Amino acid sequence: EADIYQTPRYLVIGTGKKITLECSQTMGHDKMYWYQQDPGMELHLIHYSYGVNSTEKGDLSSESTVSRIRTEHFPLTLESARPSHTSQYLCASSEAQNTGELFFGEGSRLTVL
Amino acid sequence: RKEVEQDPGPFNVPEGATVAFNCTYSNSASQSFFWYRQDCRKEPKLLMSVYSSGNEDGRFTAQLNRASQYISLLIRDSKLSDSATYLCVVKYQGGKLIFGQGTELSVKP
């Protein structure tokens, strides 16, 4: 089993609230990612990090922000949630060698009312 | 056109059936290829890599055709536990991974 954890697993929140989705891994992986997935649709990369103090935006435009102050921790923040942010957010990590294997957390399912 | 396209599902098959999924990719410079499995409401997990010569892992066989930019996954003697969504994943030079939308498989008794 992969040692990557996401909290909360489920969150229902009102429009305009600030939220932070937590992601932690204990595998010592340098590379971490945030994907967004809607039901029946492909995963879209929204943010990634190749190490501490390194963050980049992914392919899908997102109003969220991320930080990478510690290797094991990669939180995602939405300053003002909107109904269009309703989705599943998946955090993943991988080894530096680019093997193509990503280890995913169980996901955070966000609903914004 | 999507960068990675998979057979639209769902595939509903009886136990013991052989089922094949297809996937095409648009970027001819793609380096590596993978199949991931995603159970309902769970995270994706790597099922197998796809090698140029084709590779087999038990009941699962993956094939790659670079000329046609096509990948396939064959499942023999399907089990109830094979029910899941199968994601085709392509890795570009530089390490970027592109996921297909997935093909759902439902194996019935």
Side-chain angles (χ1 to χ4, degrees):
Chain A
E1 290 294 322
D3 295 318
I4 179 164
Y5 309 100
Q6 290 185 240
T7 57
R9 292 286 315 281
Y10 303 93
L11 179 63
V12 181
I13 202 164
T15 296
K17 300 292 185 185
K18 177 180 178 178
I19 62 152
T20 296
L21 304 180
E22 301 287 350
C23 177
S24 294
Q25 52 96 4
T26 58
M27 295 174 281
H29 288 167
D30 284 326
K31 296 184 175 182
M32 295 189 74
Y33 312 83
W34 276 103
Y35 286 87
Q36 188 173 338
Q37 185 181 32
D38 292 319
M41 302 297 288
E42 58 267 48
L43 279 74
H44 289 289
L45 181 66
I46 51 175
H47 296 284
Y48 62 98
S49 167
Y50 284 174
V52 170
N53 294 326
S54 149
T55 61
E56 301 285 347
K57 288 190 180 294
D59 304 317
L60 184 67
S61 173
S62 173
E63 291 158 351
S64 57
T65 59
V66 292
S67 63
R68 189 91 184 274
I69 298 169
R70 303 196 318 264
T71 299
E72 61 271 22
H73 195 213
F74 192 39
L76 180 144
T77 298
L78 273 166
E79 290 293 332
S80 180
R82 293 207 300 272
S84 60
H85 296 139
T86 295
S87 190
Q88 161 122 301
Y89 293 85
L90 288 158
C91 180
S93 71
S94 69
E95 295 174 353
Q97 291 107 313
N98 251 339
T99 59
E101 181 168 15
L102 297 183
F103 296 90
F104 284 89
E106 291 184 295
S108 292
R109 193 170 295 274
L110 173 65
T111 302
V112 184
L113 303 175
Chain B
R1 184 189 168 190
K2 290 185 177 180
E3 292 175 274
V4 178
E5 292 209 59
Q6 297 186 234
D7 283 338
F11 281 43
N12 297 301
V13 304
E15 262 188 299
T18 295
V19 60
F21 304 133
N22 299 316
C23 171
T24 57
Y25 60 96
S26 60
N27 188 334
S28 59
S30 298
Q31 281 196 322
S32 311
F33 310 89
F34 310 88
W35 284 101
Y36 274 69
R37 170 189 168 133
Q38 185 172 24
D39 292 323
C40 187
R41 296 185 172 274
K42 302 286 261 182
E43 72 275 21
K45 292 184 179 179
L46 179 65
L47 178 66
M48 60 196 299
S49 302
V50 186
Y51 302 124
S52 297
S53 54
N55 50 300
E56 193 173 302
D57 182 2
R59 297 180 294 107
F60 298 83
T61 300
Q63 298 275 3
L64 167 64
N65 184 325
R66 282 192 184 269
S68 302
Q69 295 181 202
Y70 166 98
I71 306 151
S72 66
L73 177 69
L74 183 79
I75 306 176
R76 289 183 300 279
D77 188 23
S78 49
K79 313 289 185 193
L80 298 176
S81 56
D82 293 335
S83 296
T85 296
Y86 291 83
L87 308 175
C88 174
V89 182
V90 173
K91 184 163 79 102
Y92 289 169
Q93 199 168 11
K96 182 179 174 180
L97 292 177
I98 306 295
F99 285 78
Q101 82 277 18
T103 302
E104 185 184 344
L105 171 66
S106 180
V107 182
K108 307 291 188 187

